Amino acid sequence: MIRFGIAGFGLHAVRRLMPGFALARNCKVVALSRRDSRKAREAAAQYEIPHVFVSTEELSRCAEVDAVLVTTPNACHLQDVLTAVAAGKPVLCEKPMGVDAEECRRMVEAARNAGVLLGVAQVFRFAESTARFRERIAAGDIGRPIFARAEFSYPGAGHARTWLYNRSIAGGGPIADVGVHGIDALRYILQDEPRLVSALGRADERCLGKQSGDVEAAAVLTLEFQRGTLAAVLVSTRAHYRTPLEIVGDAGVLRADDALNVERPVKLELWRNGQRVAEETVSNQLAYARQVDSFAAAVEGREVFPVRGQQGWQNQLILDAAYRSLSSGKNEEIPMLSDDPGR
């Protein structure tokens, strides 16, 4: 039983992580940290978490903590990961891994030099929906993938995480926040890497009394993958909650509404010649539990965690290129990391 400490215990921990740990089989939460000591104590009491701290440094020094789950705002990830790694603790870091690729490089190298595991919490790597997309496309159900589309939007005006509208803290708007889910899901499903990206986005002055700050409120990314698939990733904090996913091949189409959600069943549909020829319903309810159980098993040496730090670094290289394109108005090349055990 691997004992986790959650650094930055906030809304994400309440809404997603703790329900996931409640379903996990091989790990539990024994510590948390939060800068507001009163809120930290309240959360610890609510979830019966025995150890309470106000900093990642204190949490990382706790002898009862076997692994650290970093869920602080994006700009804090670098220092929190380095702090936990320096304490010899394996780290699972929330996405996006950093605010730029240089930060990710520093995290990966620090973990490698310390000989500790660094993983990235791309939770849809552990979802049934993306697993089935990957399996069916690999099996040739739609032939050669020609187009792909991933969308992730939600109504973000008035969101409790106000730092999402501050580029210096968030690293970007919905491209960084949820676009990384679409990007990573496509990399995983297609088993391929994008080589070019172009981005078009817009901010807004006011939306329901709120401003998008110095980040985009909506954006469209187009990606060209190495094997020729052309993909679009659409993101917004100004639209209804939607997470459709669709892959169009030369022999069929595989699609699902709300594919990247963990709350409702997901219906996958296979279409050929304008007719639906097959469908199946899957659930992503256990995705968060599988993620932490997988990391715990890797800490114990029983399996390899599938989303190592190198994967988060590669995602960040794509995000960085997307933001360069947003400024330049041009296609931007995406650097590729060389294969190594960290991937």
Side-chain angles (χ1 to χ4, degrees):
M1 182 66 67
I2 294 298
R3 301 165 297 179
F4 275 85
I6 297 180
F9 194 100
L11 181 64
H12 183 61
V14 170
R15 291 186 59 194
R16 301 298 188 203
L17 299 181
M18 293 310 294
F21 275 106
L23 297 171
R25 299 178 177 181
N26 192 40
C27 53
K28 61 182 179 180
V29 179
V30 300
L32 66 83
S33 67
R34 189 167 184 170
R35 287 179 298 175
D36 187 319
S37 59
R38 178 183 61 81
K39 291 182 178 179
R41 290 193 300 271
E42 289 175 353
Q46 178 181 355
Y47 293 101
E48 299 181 344
I49 297 172
H51 303 287
V52 186
F53 305 100
V54 295
S55 72
T56 302
E57 182 177 6
E58 292 175 316
L59 180 145
S60 299
R61 289 201 305 260
C62 179
E64 300 300 312
V65 171
D66 301 314
V68 175
L69 177 45
V70 171
T71 66
T72 49
N74 302 342
C76 301
H77 288 181
L78 173 61
Q79 188 55 56
D80 288 332
V81 168
L82 295 182
T83 296
V85 165
K89 298 296 171 69
V91 184
L92 179 58
C93 181
E94 264 300 333
K95 62 78 203 165
M97 189 171 166
V99 298
D100 59 42
E102 173 61 18
E103 289 195 349
C104 298
R105 181 195 64 78
R106 292 179 61 187
M107 294 183 221
V108 169
E109 292 185 355
R112 182 182 296 137
N113 291 338
V116 299
L117 174 64
L118 172 62
V120 183
Q122 291 289 166
V123 70
F124 292 106
R125 294 282 186 116
F126 302 90
E128 288 188 22
S129 61
T130 51
R132 288 299 291 143
F133 264 89
R134 178 181 166 105
E135 290 163 1
R136 300 195 73 157
I137 289 170
D141 284 3
I142 65 167
R144 182 171 64 92
I146 306 297
F147 296 124
R149 178 176 65 90
E151 182 179 337
F152 205 127
S153 58
Y154 65 92
H159 199 285
R161 293 185 297 164
T162 56
W163 56 265
L164 287 173
Y165 299 104
N166 186 329
R167 183 177 296 277
S168 66
I169 300 175
I175 293 175
D177 182 36
V178 291
V180 70
H181 278 313
I183 290 166
D184 189 72
L186 292 178
R187 292 179 60 222
Y188 172 70
I189 289 166
L190 296 172
Q191 301 184 59
D192 196 6
E193 296 290 346
R195 67 181 192 89
L196 287 175
V197 61
S198 81
L200 177 65
R202 64 172 178 82
D204 54 21
E205 293 184 357
R206 301 198 69 79
C207 180
L208 300 179
K210 299 290 183 181
Q211 295 181 340
S212 66
D214 60 352
V215 300
E216 73 282 358
V220 178
L221 310 182
T222 57
L223 300 161
E224 180 183 338
F225 281 78
Q226 291 181 359
R227 290 200 292 270
T229 304
L230 299 176
V233 176
L234 297 82
V235 296
S236 178
T237 52
R238 297 294 184 256
H240 293 294
Y241 190 95
R242 283 172 47 80
T243 60
L245 184 64
E246 182 176 62
I247 314 292
V248 179
D250 59 9
V253 178
L254 189 61
R255 65 177 304 276
D257 290 329
D258 295 329
L260 303 182
N261 93 92
V262 296
E263 297 169 335
R264 298 179 300 280
V266 178
K267 181 187 291 186
L268 277 70
E269 299 177 342
L270 177 63
W271 290 73
R272 292 191 182 123
N273 301 317
Q275 301 290 323
R276 185 175 60 199
V277 297
E279 66 177 60
E280 63 177 305
T281 300
V282 299
S283 172
N284 294 335
Q285 182 183 11
L286 294 177
Y288 280 95
R290 288 172 176 157
Q291 178 174 253
V292 291
D293 270 339
S294 177
F295 192 81
V299 171
E300 293 175 329
R302 294 188 289 108
E303 64 179 62
V304 175
F305 188 67
V307 203
R308 306 288 287 274
Q310 192 94 344
Q311 293 284 354
W313 184 1
Q314 186 63 55
N315 281 337
Q316 191 66 53
L317 286 166
I318 300 169
L319 294 178
D320 288 359
Y323 280 114
R324 288 198 302 275
S325 175
L326 205 59
S327 297
S328 70
K330 301 176 182 179
N331 286 339
E332 296 287 344
E333 292 189 5
I334 300 167
M336 269 297 300
L337 299 175
S338 60
D339 289 337
D340 68 28
R343 294 196 70 198

mmCIF file of all heavy atoms in Angstrom, residues 237-279:
data_model
loop_
_atom_site.group_PDB
_atom_site.id
_atom_site.type_symbol
_atom_site.label_atom_id
_atom_site.label_comp_id
_atom_site.label_asym_id
_atom_site.label_seq_id
_atom_site.Cartn_x
_atom_site.Cartn_y
_atom_site.Cartn_z
ATOM 1 N N THR A 237 -12.944 27.947 -23.021
ATOM 2 C CA THR A 237 -13.524 28.114 -21.693
ATOM 3 C C THR A 237 -14.791 28.953 -21.785
ATOM 4 O O THR A 237 -15.233 29.530 -20.797
ATOM 5 C CB THR A 237 -12.524 28.807 -20.744
ATOM 6 O OG1 THR A 237 -12.044 30.013 -21.359
ATOM 7 C CG2 THR A 237 -11.352 27.896 -20.431
ATOM 8 N N ARG A 238 -15.386 29.003 -22.967
ATOM 9 C CA ARG A 238 -16.572 29.811 -23.195
ATOM 10 C C ARG A 238 -17.728 29.007 -23.786
ATOM 11 O O ARG A 238 -18.721 29.573 -24.211
ATOM 12 C CB ARG A 238 -16.238 30.978 -24.133
ATOM 13 C CG ARG A 238 -15.211 31.942 -23.563
ATOM 14 C CD ARG A 238 -15.778 32.662 -22.349
ATOM 15 N NE ARG A 238 -14.856 33.647 -21.833
ATOM 16 C CZ ARG A 238 -14.112 33.481 -20.738
ATOM 17 N NH1 ARG A 238 -14.188 32.338 -20.064
ATOM 18 N NH2 ARG A 238 -13.313 34.434 -20.319
ATOM 19 N N ALA A 239 -17.612 27.704 -23.832
ATOM 20 C CA ALA A 239 -18.636 26.860 -24.447
ATOM 21 C C ALA A 239 -19.133 25.831 -23.430
ATOM 22 O O ALA A 239 -18.580 25.689 -22.343
ATOM 23 C CB ALA A 239 -18.067 26.155 -25.678
ATOM 24 N N HIS A 240 -20.192 25.135 -23.814
ATOM 25 C CA HIS A 240 -20.710 24.077 -22.960
ATOM 26 C C HIS A 240 -19.652 22.979 -22.803
ATOM 27 O O HIS A 240 -18.757 22.834 -23.635
ATOM 28 C CB HIS A 240 -21.986 23.481 -23.554
ATOM 29 C CG HIS A 240 -23.143 24.427 -23.571
ATOM 30 N ND1 HIS A 240 -23.750 24.893 -22.434
ATOM 31 C CD2 HIS A 240 -23.791 25.011 -24.610
ATOM 32 C CE1 HIS A 240 -24.733 25.717 -22.756
ATOM 33 N NE2 HIS A 240 -24.774 25.812 -24.065
ATOM 34 N N TYR A 241 -19.799 22.186 -21.747
ATOM 35 C CA TYR A 241 -18.853 21.095 -21.525
ATOM 36 C C TYR A 241 -19.020 20.063 -22.625
ATOM 37 O O TYR A 241 -20.084 19.446 -22.771
ATOM 38 C CB TYR A 241 -19.094 20.463 -20.155
ATOM 39 C CG TYR A 241 -18.004 19.483 -19.750
ATOM 40 C CD1 TYR A 241 -16.945 19.888 -18.958
ATOM 41 C CD2 TYR A 241 -18.040 18.159 -20.182
ATOM 42 C CE1 TYR A 241 -15.942 19.009 -18.598
ATOM 43 C CE2 TYR A 241 -17.038 17.272 -19.833
ATOM 44 C CZ TYR A 241 -16.002 17.705 -19.041
ATOM 45 O OH TYR A 241 -15.006 16.825 -18.698
ATOM 46 N N ARG A 242 -17.979 19.883 -23.415
ATOM 47 C CA ARG A 242 -17.988 18.937 -24.529
ATOM 48 C C ARG A 242 -16.610 18.317 -24.681
ATOM 49 O O ARG A 242 -15.603 19.018 -24.602
ATOM 50 C CB ARG A 242 -18.340 19.645 -25.850
ATOM 51 C CG ARG A 242 -19.802 19.963 -26.033
ATOM 52 C CD ARG A 242 -20.023 20.823 -27.269
ATOM 53 N NE ARG A 242 -19.314 20.341 -28.461
ATOM 54 C CZ ARG A 242 -19.720 19.348 -29.246
ATOM 55 N NH1 ARG A 242 -20.844 18.713 -28.974
ATOM 56 N NH2 ARG A 242 -19.017 18.999 -30.315
ATOM 57 N N THR A 243 -16.574 17.004 -24.915
ATOM 58 C CA THR A 243 -15.294 16.339 -25.157
ATOM 59 C C THR A 243 -15.429 15.274 -26.246
ATOM 60 O O THR A 243 -15.055 14.122 -26.044
ATOM 61 C CB THR A 243 -14.745 15.694 -23.868
ATOM 62 O OG1 THR A 243 -15.696 14.714 -23.397
ATOM 63 C CG2 THR A 243 -14.496 16.726 -22.789
ATOM 64 N N PRO A 244 -15.945 15.627 -27.428
ATOM 65 C CA PRO A 244 -16.054 14.622 -28.497
ATOM 66 C C PRO A 244 -14.690 14.270 -29.085
ATOM 67 O O PRO A 244 -13.766 15.079 -29.076
ATOM 68 C CB PRO A 244 -16.945 15.316 -29.529
ATOM 69 C CG PRO A 244 -16.705 16.771 -29.310
ATOM 70 C CD PRO A 244 -16.481 16.933 -27.837
ATOM 71 N N LEU A 245 -14.616 13.054 -29.593
ATOM 72 C CA LEU A 245 -13.400 12.555 -30.224
ATOM 73 C C LEU A 245 -13.809 11.774 -31.466
ATOM 74 O O LEU A 245 -14.744 10.963 -31.418
ATOM 75 C CB LEU A 245 -12.642 11.658 -29.243
ATOM 76 C CG LEU A 245 -11.286 11.103 -29.646
ATOM 77 C CD1 LEU A 245 -10.279 12.235 -29.846
ATOM 78 C CD2 LEU A 245 -10.780 10.157 -28.552
ATOM 79 N N GLU A 246 -13.114 12.018 -32.573
ATOM 80 C CA GLU A 246 -13.460 11.353 -33.827
ATOM 81 C C GLU A 246 -12.199 11.117 -34.650
ATOM 82 O O GLU A 246 -11.372 12.016 -34.793
ATOM 83 C CB GLU A 246 -14.447 12.220 -34.615
ATOM 84 C CG GLU A 246 -14.924 11.604 -35.911
ATOM 85 C CD GLU A 246 -15.976 12.465 -36.591
ATOM 86 O OE1 GLU A 246 -15.651 13.623 -36.957
ATOM 87 O OE2 GLU A 246 -17.121 11.992 -36.734
ATOM 88 N N ILE A 247 -12.066 9.908 -35.187
ATOM 89 C CA ILE A 247 -10.963 9.566 -36.079
ATOM 90 C C ILE A 247 -11.584 9.080 -37.383
ATOM 91 O O ILE A 247 -12.392 8.139 -37.383
ATOM 92 C CB ILE A 247 -10.056 8.459 -35.500
ATOM 93 C CG1 ILE A 247 -9.706 8.734 -34.038
ATOM 94 C CG2 ILE A 247 -8.808 8.320 -36.361
ATOM 95 C CD1 ILE A 247 -8.820 9.912 -33.799
ATOM 96 N N VAL A 248 -11.219 9.728 -38.489
ATOM 97 C CA VAL A 248 -11.763 9.388 -39.802
ATOM 98 C C VAL A 248 -10.674 8.681 -40.609
ATOM 99 O O VAL A 248 -9.586 9.236 -40.821
ATOM 100 C CB VAL A 248 -12.220 10.654 -40.549
ATOM 101 C CG1 VAL A 248 -12.767 10.288 -41.930
ATOM 102 C CG2 VAL A 248 -13.273 11.399 -39.738
ATOM 103 N N GLY A 249 -10.968 7.469 -41.039
ATOM 104 C CA GLY A 249 -10.015 6.705 -41.820
ATOM 105 C C GLY A 249 -10.469 6.511 -43.248
ATOM 106 O O GLY A 249 -11.578 6.929 -43.619
ATOM 107 N N ASP A 250 -9.671 5.856 -44.046
ATOM 108 C CA ASP A 250 -10.063 5.610 -45.443
ATOM 109 C C ASP A 250 -11.025 4.436 -45.574
ATOM 110 O O ASP A 250 -11.502 4.135 -46.671
ATOM 111 C CB ASP A 250 -8.834 5.411 -46.329
ATOM 112 C CG ASP A 250 -7.942 4.257 -45.893
ATOM 113 O OD1 ASP A 250 -8.353 3.486 -44.995
ATOM 114 O OD2 ASP A 250 -6.829 4.136 -46.436
ATOM 115 N N ALA A 251 -11.352 3.776 -44.452
ATOM 116 C CA ALA A 251 -12.292 2.660 -44.496
ATOM 117 C C ALA A 251 -13.392 2.774 -43.443
ATOM 118 O O ALA A 251 -14.208 1.866 -43.303
ATOM 119 C CB ALA A 251 -11.547 1.335 -44.302
ATOM 120 N N GLY A 252 -13.439 3.880 -42.712
ATOM 121 C CA GLY A 252 -14.472 4.015 -41.691
ATOM 122 C C GLY A 252 -14.192 5.169 -40.754
ATOM 123 O O GLY A 252 -13.174 5.867 -40.865
ATOM 124 N N VAL A 253 -15.117 5.355 -39.823
ATOM 125 C CA VAL A 253 -15.035 6.439 -38.848
ATOM 126 C C VAL A 253 -15.313 5.868 -37.465
ATOM 127 O O VAL A 253 -16.268 5.105 -37.276
ATOM 128 C CB VAL A 253 -16.073 7.549 -39.144
ATOM 129 C CG1 VAL A 253 -16.019 8.647 -38.087
ATOM 130 C CG2 VAL A 253 -15.858 8.123 -40.539
ATOM 131 N N LEU A 254 -14.475 6.232 -36.511
ATOM 132 C CA LEU A 254 -14.691 5.863 -35.112
ATOM 133 C C LEU A 254 -14.901 7.155 -34.341
ATOM 134 O O LEU A 254 -14.070 8.073 -34.415
ATOM 135 C CB LEU A 254 -13.487 5.090 -34.561
ATOM 136 C CG LEU A 254 -13.644 4.445 -33.180
ATOM 137 C CD1 LEU A 254 -14.762 3.408 -33.188
ATOM 138 C CD2 LEU A 254 -12.340 3.806 -32.725
ATOM 139 N N ARG A 255 -16.008 7.247 -33.598
ATOM 140 C CA ARG A 255 -16.337 8.493 -32.925
ATOM 141 C C ARG A 255 -17.022 8.223 -31.587
ATOM 142 O O ARG A 255 -17.549 7.141 -31.350
ATOM 143 C CB ARG A 255 -17.255 9.355 -33.795
ATOM 144 C CG ARG A 255 -18.623 8.739 -34.044
ATOM 145 C CD ARG A 255 -19.535 9.652 -34.847
ATOM 146 N NE ARG A 255 -19.672 10.950 -34.194
ATOM 147 C CZ ARG A 255 -20.545 11.193 -33.202
ATOM 148 N NH1 ARG A 255 -21.328 10.229 -32.756
ATOM 149 N NH2 ARG A 255 -20.618 12.392 -32.682
ATOM 150 N N ALA A 256 -16.981 9.231 -30.734
ATOM 151 C CA ALA A 256 -17.695 9.164 -29.459
ATOM 152 C C ALA A 256 -17.960 10.576 -28.962
ATOM 153 O O ALA A 256 -17.070 11.428 -29.007
ATOM 154 C CB ALA A 256 -16.891 8.392 -28.412
ATOM 155 N N ASP A 257 -19.178 10.841 -28.528
ATOM 156 C CA ASP A 257 -19.478 12.092 -27.848
ATOM 157 C C ASP A 257 -18.963 11.998 -26.419
ATOM 158 O O ASP A 257 -19.072 10.941 -25.785
ATOM 159 C CB ASP A 257 -20.986 12.360 -27.829
ATOM 160 C CG ASP A 257 -21.528 12.692 -29.199
ATOM 161 O OD1 ASP A 257 -20.777 13.268 -30.006
ATOM 162 O OD2 ASP A 257 -22.700 12.357 -29.471
ATOM 163 N N ASP A 258 -18.408 13.096 -25.912
ATOM 164 C CA ASP A 258 -17.926 13.138 -24.527
ATOM 165 C C ASP A 258 -16.954 12.002 -24.228
ATOM 166 O O ASP A 258 -17.004 11.383 -23.161
ATOM 167 C CB ASP A 258 -19.095 13.103 -23.535
ATOM 168 C CG ASP A 258 -19.955 14.356 -23.644
ATOM 169 O OD1 ASP A 258 -19.401 15.411 -23.985
ATOM 170 O OD2 ASP A 258 -21.170 14.280 -23.398
ATOM 171 N N ALA A 259 -16.046 11.742 -25.157
ATOM 172 C CA ALA A 259 -15.091 10.642 -24.983
ATOM 173 C C ALA A 259 -14.151 10.893 -23.824
ATOM 174 O O ALA A 259 -13.727 9.954 -23.139
ATOM 175 C CB ALA A 259 -14.287 10.437 -26.261
ATOM 176 N N LEU A 260 -13.791 12.167 -23.597
ATOM 177 C CA LEU A 260 -12.825 12.487 -22.546
ATOM 178 C C LEU A 260 -13.558 13.017 -21.315
ATOM 179 O O LEU A 260 -13.386 14.155 -20.884
ATOM 180 C CB LEU A 260 -11.806 13.512 -23.059
ATOM 181 C CG LEU A 260 -11.031 13.118 -24.319
ATOM 182 C CD1 LEU A 260 -10.024 14.199 -24.684
ATOM 183 C CD2 LEU A 260 -10.346 11.776 -24.127
ATOM 184 N N ASN A 261 -14.416 12.167 -20.768
ATOM 185 C CA ASN A 261 -15.070 12.505 -19.503
ATOM 186 C C ASN A 261 -15.027 11.294 -18.593
ATOM 187 O O ASN A 261 -14.886 10.159 -19.043
ATOM 188 C CB ASN A 261 -16.506 12.984 -19.746
ATOM 189 C CG ASN A 261 -17.523 11.863 -19.643
ATOM 190 O OD1 ASN A 261 -18.079 11.617 -18.580
ATOM 191 N ND2 ASN A 261 -17.768 11.172 -20.763
ATOM 192 N N VAL A 262 -15.121 11.541 -17.291
ATOM 193 C CA VAL A 262 -15.028 10.445 -16.320
ATOM 194 C C VAL A 262 -16.328 10.247 -15.554
ATOM 195 O O VAL A 262 -16.387 9.448 -14.626
ATOM 196 C CB VAL A 262 -13.873 10.690 -15.319
ATOM 197 C CG1 VAL A 262 -12.535 10.703 -16.032
ATOM 198 C CG2 VAL A 262 -14.081 11.988 -14.543
ATOM 199 N N GLU A 263 -17.363 10.983 -15.939
ATOM 200 C CA GLU A 263 -18.599 10.973 -15.163
ATOM 201 C C GLU A 263 -19.717 10.157 -15.790
ATOM 202 O O GLU A 263 -20.544 9.573 -15.078
ATOM 203 C CB GLU A 263 -19.079 12.415 -14.944
ATOM 204 C CG GLU A 263 -18.097 13.239 -14.123
ATOM 205 C CD GLU A 263 -18.436 14.717 -14.134
ATOM 206 O OE1 GLU A 263 -19.093 15.157 -15.105
ATOM 207 O OE2 GLU A 263 -18.060 15.416 -13.189
ATOM 208 N N ARG A 264 -19.788 10.138 -17.123
ATOM 209 C CA ARG A 264 -20.893 9.476 -17.809
ATOM 210 C C ARG A 264 -20.363 8.371 -18.716
ATOM 211 O O ARG A 264 -19.221 8.451 -19.190
ATOM 212 C CB ARG A 264 -21.666 10.492 -18.661
ATOM 213 C CG ARG A 264 -22.305 11.601 -17.860
ATOM 214 C CD ARG A 264 -23.030 12.583 -18.779
ATOM 215 N NE ARG A 264 -22.130 13.212 -19.734
ATOM 216 C CZ ARG A 264 -21.339 14.230 -19.432
ATOM 217 N NH1 ARG A 264 -21.322 14.725 -18.205
ATOM 218 N NH2 ARG A 264 -20.548 14.752 -20.352
ATOM 219 N N PRO A 265 -21.193 7.355 -18.996
ATOM 220 C CA PRO A 265 -20.776 6.318 -19.946
ATOM 221 C C PRO A 265 -20.470 6.925 -21.308
ATOM 222 O O PRO A 265 -21.053 7.936 -21.705
ATOM 223 C CB PRO A 265 -21.997 5.389 -20.012
ATOM 224 C CG PRO A 265 -22.721 5.620 -18.733
ATOM 225 C CD PRO A 265 -22.515 7.069 -18.397
ATOM 226 N N VAL A 266 -19.546 6.313 -22.026
ATOM 227 C CA VAL A 266 -19.114 6.787 -23.341
ATOM 228 C C VAL A 266 -19.514 5.748 -24.378
ATOM 229 O O VAL A 266 -19.159 4.574 -24.255
ATOM 230 C CB VAL A 266 -17.589 7.002 -23.378
ATOM 231 C CG1 VAL A 266 -17.151 7.449 -24.768
ATOM 232 C CG2 VAL A 266 -17.164 8.014 -22.323
ATOM 233 N N LYS A 267 -20.248 6.186 -25.395
ATOM 234 C CA LYS A 267 -20.658 5.287 -26.469
ATOM 235 C C LYS A 267 -19.746 5.489 -27.673
ATOM 236 O O LYS A 267 -19.719 6.567 -28.270
ATOM 237 C CB LYS A 267 -22.108 5.527 -26.873
ATOM 238 C CG LYS A 267 -22.599 4.578 -27.983
ATOM 239 C CD LYS A 267 -23.978 4.951 -28.482
ATOM 240 C CE LYS A 267 -25.024 4.695 -27.421
ATOM 241 N NZ LYS A 267 -26.395 4.939 -27.984
ATOM 242 N N LEU A 268 -19.002 4.452 -28.021
ATOM 243 C CA LEU A 268 -18.159 4.474 -29.217
ATOM 244 C C LEU A 268 -18.958 3.934 -30.390
ATOM 245 O O LEU A 268 -19.628 2.887 -30.271
ATOM 246 C CB LEU A 268 -16.908 3.616 -29.028
ATOM 247 C CG LEU A 268 -15.705 4.236 -28.312
ATOM 248 C CD1 LEU A 268 -16.003 4.443 -26.840
ATOM 249 C CD2 LEU A 268 -14.483 3.372 -28.490
ATOM 250 N N GLU A 269 -18.895 4.629 -31.522
ATOM 251 C CA GLU A 269 -19.620 4.214 -32.718
ATOM 252 C C GLU A 269 -18.660 4.043 -33.881
ATOM 253 O O GLU A 269 -17.789 4.883 -34.110
ATOM 254 C CB GLU A 269 -20.670 5.257 -33.106
ATOM 255 C CG GLU A 269 -21.730 5.481 -32.043
ATOM 256 C CD GLU A 269 -22.707 6.566 -32.439
ATOM 257 O OE1 GLU A 269 -22.375 7.365 -33.353
ATOM 258 O OE2 GLU A 269 -23.795 6.618 -31.836
ATOM 259 N N LEU A 270 -18.815 2.941 -34.602
ATOM 260 C CA LEU A 270 -18.043 2.685 -35.815
ATOM 261 C C LEU A 270 -18.969 2.862 -37.017
ATOM 262 O O LEU A 270 -20.037 2.227 -37.087
ATOM 263 C CB LEU A 270 -17.468 1.268 -35.796
ATOM 264 C CG LEU A 270 -16.696 0.825 -37.047
ATOM 265 C CD1 LEU A 270 -15.459 1.696 -37.266
ATOM 266 C CD2 LEU A 270 -16.303 -0.652 -36.945
ATOM 267 N N TRP A 271 -18.578 3.753 -37.940
ATOM 268 C CA TRP A 271 -19.382 4.043 -39.120
ATOM 269 C C TRP A 271 -18.618 3.661 -40.383
ATOM 270 O O TRP A 271 -17.416 3.875 -40.483
ATOM 271 C CB TRP A 271 -19.713 5.540 -39.189
ATOM 272 C CG TRP A 271 -20.692 5.984 -38.134
ATOM 273 C CD1 TRP A 271 -20.459 6.136 -36.802
ATOM 274 C CD2 TRP A 271 -22.060 6.332 -38.350
ATOM 275 N NE1 TRP A 271 -21.586 6.560 -36.157
ATOM 276 C CE2 TRP A 271 -22.593 6.697 -37.078
ATOM 277 C CE3 TRP A 271 -22.881 6.401 -39.485
ATOM 278 C CZ2 TRP A 271 -23.910 7.107 -36.929
ATOM 279 C CZ3 TRP A 271 -24.200 6.804 -39.324
ATOM 280 C CH2 TRP A 271 -24.706 7.148 -38.067
ATOM 281 N N ARG A 272 -19.355 3.069 -41.331
ATOM 282 C CA ARG A 272 -18.805 2.774 -42.649
ATOM 283 C C ARG A 272 -19.868 3.067 -43.704
ATOM 284 O O ARG A 272 -21.031 2.662 -43.526
ATOM 285 C CB ARG A 272 -18.356 1.307 -42.758
ATOM 286 C CG ARG A 272 -17.150 0.956 -41.894
ATOM 287 C CD ARG A 272 -16.598 -0.412 -42.239
ATOM 288 N NE ARG A 272 -15.482 -0.758 -41.366
ATOM 289 C CZ ARG A 272 -15.436 -1.865 -40.601
ATOM 290 N NH1 ARG A 272 -16.443 -2.724 -40.621
ATOM 291 N NH2 ARG A 272 -14.393 -2.107 -39.853
ATOM 292 N N ASN A 273 -19.472 3.744 -44.761
ATOM 293 C CA ASN A 273 -20.386 4.063 -45.861
ATOM 294 C C ASN A 273 -21.675 4.718 -45.386
ATOM 295 O O ASN A 273 -22.776 4.409 -45.861
ATOM 296 C CB ASN A 273 -20.711 2.788 -46.658
ATOM 297 C CG ASN A 273 -19.479 2.141 -47.241
ATOM 298 O OD1 ASN A 273 -18.607 2.843 -47.778
ATOM 299 N ND2 ASN A 273 -19.379 0.829 -47.139
ATOM 300 N N GLY A 274 -21.536 5.620 -44.410
ATOM 301 C CA GLY A 274 -22.696 6.356 -43.918
ATOM 302 C C GLY A 274 -23.605 5.569 -43.002
ATOM 303 O O GLY A 274 -24.665 6.071 -42.601
ATOM 304 N N GLN A 275 -23.207 4.363 -42.621
ATOM 305 C CA GLN A 275 -24.026 3.527 -41.741
ATOM 306 C C GLN A 275 -23.262 3.186 -40.467
ATOM 307 O O GLN A 275 -22.065 2.881 -40.527
ATOM 308 C CB GLN A 275 -24.405 2.221 -42.460
ATOM 309 C CG GLN A 275 -25.189 2.398 -43.748
ATOM 310 C CD GLN A 275 -26.598 2.902 -43.502
ATOM 311 O OE1 GLN A 275 -27.241 2.513 -42.525
ATOM 312 N NE2 GLN A 275 -27.079 3.781 -44.383
ATOM 313 N N ARG A 276 -23.961 3.228 -39.348
ATOM 314 C CA ARG A 276 -23.352 2.779 -38.102
ATOM 315 C C ARG A 276 -23.367 1.258 -38.085
ATOM 316 O O ARG A 276 -24.421 0.635 -38.120
ATOM 317 C CB ARG A 276 -24.120 3.341 -36.899
ATOM 318 C CG ARG A 276 -23.455 2.998 -35.560
ATOM 319 C CD ARG A 276 -24.185 3.685 -34.419
ATOM 320 N NE ARG A 276 -25.578 3.265 -34.371
ATOM 321 C CZ ARG A 276 -26.532 3.935 -33.733
ATOM 322 N NH1 ARG A 276 -26.256 5.076 -33.127
ATOM 323 N NH2 ARG A 276 -27.780 3.486 -33.731
ATOM 324 N N VAL A 277 -22.173 0.667 -38.034
ATOM 325 C CA VAL A 277 -22.082 -0.793 -38.144
ATOM 326 C C VAL A 277 -21.768 -1.466 -36.813
ATOM 327 O O VAL A 277 -21.900 -2.690 -36.690
ATOM 328 C CB VAL A 277 -21.031 -1.196 -39.200
ATOM 329 C CG1 VAL A 277 -21.440 -0.689 -40.574
ATOM 330 C CG2 VAL A 277 -19.650 -0.658 -38.831
ATOM 331 N N ALA A 278 -21.326 -0.694 -35.824
ATOM 332 C CA ALA A 278 -21.036 -1.273 -34.513
ATOM 333 C C ALA A 278 -21.021 -0.160 -33.474
ATOM 334 O O ALA A 278 -20.760 1.002 -33.786
ATOM 335 C CB ALA A 278 -19.687 -1.999 -34.522
ATOM 336 N N GLU A 279 -21.314 -0.524 -32.248
ATOM 337 C CA GLU A 279 -21.202 0.422 -31.139
ATOM 338 C C GLU A 279 -20.934 -0.341 -29.849
ATOM 339 O O GLU A 279 -21.255 -1.534 -29.729
ATOM 340 C CB GLU A 279 -22.461 1.275 -31.007
ATOM 341 C CG GLU A 279 -23.715 0.520 -30.599
ATOM 342 C CD GLU A 279 -24.898 1.458 -30.412
ATOM 343 O OE1 GLU A 279 -25.263 2.142 -31.391
ATOM 344 O OE2 GLU A 279 -25.466 1.489 -29.293
#
